[in-house]
Amino acid sequence: MPLCSPIFHHLCYNFFFSALFIFSSMACELKILLVVSVLPLVSILIPLANAKPQVPCYFIFGDSLVDNGNNNDLETLAKANHVPYGIDFPAGPTGRFSNGRTMADFLAQLLGFDKFIPPFSTAIGTEILMGVNYASAGAGIRDESGKRLGDRISMNKQLLNHLTTASRIAVLLGSKNAAANYLSKCLYSVGMGSNDYINNYLMPEFFPRSRLYDPQQYSTTLIKQYSKQLRTLYKYGARKVVLLGLNKIGCIPAEITIHYRNRSLCVDKINSDVQLFNDKLISLVDILNNDLTGANFIYVNMSLLSLGDSSSTGITVMNSPCCKGRCTRKQVPCTNRSTYAFWDRYHPTEAASSYLASRAYAARTPFDVYPFDIRRLALL
């Protein structure tokens, strides 16, 4: 059976997730095994330092995992434009929900860009030709997801913002045809769905979805809406599209705290519900590639991507955030940040984002991506 076949991938994928978490029979402490250090990422980045980008532009759609400042001027609780956020970022706090760079930042570097992709909220002039970041903390596939946090730019609104950008590029390049040709060569990454669970389905006291749909039905309706949005993105010119799967939401510190208080076990029920979405997203990749002429969609596994010896990576703290509580201005984060997987209760550290980006860009196993990695997608 070929490694890239959907059947093989689903078999490997299910086996992978069943084996990813090993529990100590004595202490019931979760140990997630990672295999890489930052060295492989550095080795990839070095030859790209002075190279021409592999794609002319990179467009980013998503939520707080890759937001780089679009929420700064919104009326929302979901903001990260203050210390200790950005403590390891060259420019300090920018709106990134991390101590440093996000996965999107690392991917931009791996693609050969020598500058960070600008947020839509501040992008002006010809800089939009290198791409735009539309991501917004709290955003979801569904418009109501994240509304308890305040204002946010949902996937539907991010698509409208991209239409505005496409119109501006048409003006800069002289015609709609020139813009369409240009945009077809660009890379697009889309990471949506986390808030449709964390700030929607998993809050039955505020949202009715869990009372109206069982997990299977909810994942189906989410994918149906997501499919329409991705087809709209194709209509607006996207041809090379990276779809980021959902991570194991039941293993983020926030959900562990809610359900287990002083224990470190993942919430298996949440993980199984989220996996229904991921399984359907993998299938959607095949559907979109078959239905849309010239389209190349790929899927990236966002759950820590491989088994291995935990001693081979510096990331050793998997269940506790480096920045405790809500990570407010008064918070003093941990000093050994490169050893933590989570920066705050929801978001990965720069070290974890580096790890994820390196595996998404240059896959090492069939579990990392489907049907192939970002490096190959960029070359198409």
Side-chain angles (χ1 to χ4, degrees):
M1 186 181 296
L3 289 182
C4 288
S5 72
I7 295 176
F8 177 86
H9 184 81
H10 278 288
L11 290 173
C12 292
Y13 191 82
N14 290 332
F15 172 78
F16 165 69
F17 279 110
S18 67
L20 182 58
F21 296 97
I22 298 177
F23 293 89
S24 167
S25 59
M26 296 297 294
C28 292
E29 293 180 351
L30 174 66
K31 295 182 180 180
I32 300 179
L33 304 181
L34 309 176
V35 296
V36 298
S37 67
V38 297
L39 292 179
L41 177 60
V42 174
S43 66
I44 295 173
L45 285 173
I46 290 174
L48 295 177
N50 297 310
K52 180 181 178 181
Q54 298 156 41
V55 289
C57 45
Y58 174 31
F59 293 99
I60 301 157
F61 298 78
D63 51 32
S64 57
L65 294 176
V66 289
D67 187 348
N68 65 345
N70 285 308
N71 274 30
N72 288 353
D73 295 325
L74 299 184
E75 291 295 326
T76 177
L77 296 174
K79 291 187 180 184
N81 56 341
H82 59 79
V83 293
Y85 289 103
I87 191 171
D88 298 313
F89 193 75
T94 58
R96 289 168 168 82
F97 288 76
S98 172
N99 58 304
R101 288 164 288 181
T102 68
M103 182 179 179
D105 293 325
F106 282 111
L107 286 176
Q109 290 180 284
L110 289 166
L111 290 165
F113 290 95
D114 58 6
K115 295 180 181 179
F116 295 116
I117 305 300
F120 177 78
S121 60
T122 61
I124 58 174
T126 58
E127 71 175 344
I128 65 174
L129 292 175
M130 70 179 292
V132 176
N133 185 328
Y134 304 103
S136 170
I141 296 169
R142 300 188 63 87
D143 289 340
E144 79 272 11
S145 294
K147 70 178 182 180
R148 292 192 68 251
L149 298 171
D151 293 341
R152 68 262 173 239
I153 308 166
S154 68
M155 180 60 179
N156 285 327
K157 291 180 181 178
Q158 290 181 35
L159 287 169
L160 291 176
N161 288 343
H162 183 58
L163 183 59
T164 297
T165 298
S167 298
R168 292 173 178 171
I169 289 177
V171 172
L172 290 172
L173 298 184
S175 71
K176 289 184 178 179
N177 287 339
N181 181 61
Y182 186 78
L183 292 172
S184 70
K185 297 179 173 63
C186 301
L187 188 78
Y188 300 73
S189 67
V190 189
M192 281 290 185
S194 292
N195 286 299
D196 297 292
Y197 284 93
I198 296 172
N199 286 301
N200 192 328
Y201 193 71
L202 298 178
M203 287 186 167
E205 66 274 31
F206 300 108
F207 297 93
R209 298 301 161 189
S210 62
R211 299 191 295 273
L212 299 175
Y213 302 102
D214 64 29
Q216 186 71 251
Q217 292 170 332
Y218 187 66
S219 64
T220 298
T221 190
L222 266 187
I223 287 293
K224 183 177 180 179
Q225 183 170 353
Y226 204 18
S227 176
K228 292 180 180 178
Q229 293 167 338
L230 294 171
R231 289 171 188 270
T232 298
L233 182 59
Y234 172 87
K235 179 182 176 182
Y236 293 166
R239 295 297 181 269
K240 303 178 181 182
V241 185
V242 179
L243 301 182
L244 305 178
L246 303 186
N247 63 14
K248 285 187 173 290
I249 291 174
C251 294
I252 65 175
E255 295 300 330
I256 292 174
T257 299
I258 291 171
H259 294 274
Y260 289 125
R261 299 291 177 184
N262 297 322
R263 297 167 63 191
S264 60
L265 299 178
C266 293
V267 187
D268 292 337
K269 177 61 168 61
I270 293 177
N271 285 339
S272 63
D273 291 350
V274 169
Q275 188 57 41
L276 294 172
F277 176 89
N278 283 336
D279 289 342
K280 290 178 174 63
L281 188 56
I282 294 171
S283 297
L284 181 60
V285 165
D286 288 331
I287 294 171
L288 294 173
N289 287 338
N290 289 330
D291 289 353
L292 304 176
T293 302
N296 287 284
F297 286 78
I298 69 169
Y299 170 87
V300 171
N301 174 8
M302 286 291 287
S303 294
L304 294 173
L305 297 177
S306 186
L307 293 169
D309 182 1
S310 59
S311 66
S312 66
T313 174
I315 302 176
T316 57
V317 184
M318 303 306 305
N319 312 109
S320 178
C322 174
C323 190
K324 311 296 182 182
R326 295 184 61 86
C327 205
T328 61
R329 286 177 172 84
K330 295 182 180 180
Q331 290 290 320
V332 178
C334 64
T335 56
N336 53 335
R337 293 180 282 277
S338 63
T339 66
Y340 278 71
F342 287 96
W343 164 245
D344 60 18
R345 296 183 299 170
Y346 296 95
H347 306 101
T349 57
E350 181 180 66
S353 293
S354 169
Y355 169 77
L356 288 168
S358 67
R359 298 300 293 261
Y361 178 78
R364 300 178 188 180
T365 77
F367 313 124
D368 295 358
V369 297
Y370 176 79
F372 47 78
D373 58 27
I374 293 174
R375 179 166 55 179
R376 179 175 168 186
L377 179 63
L379 294 174
L380 295 179

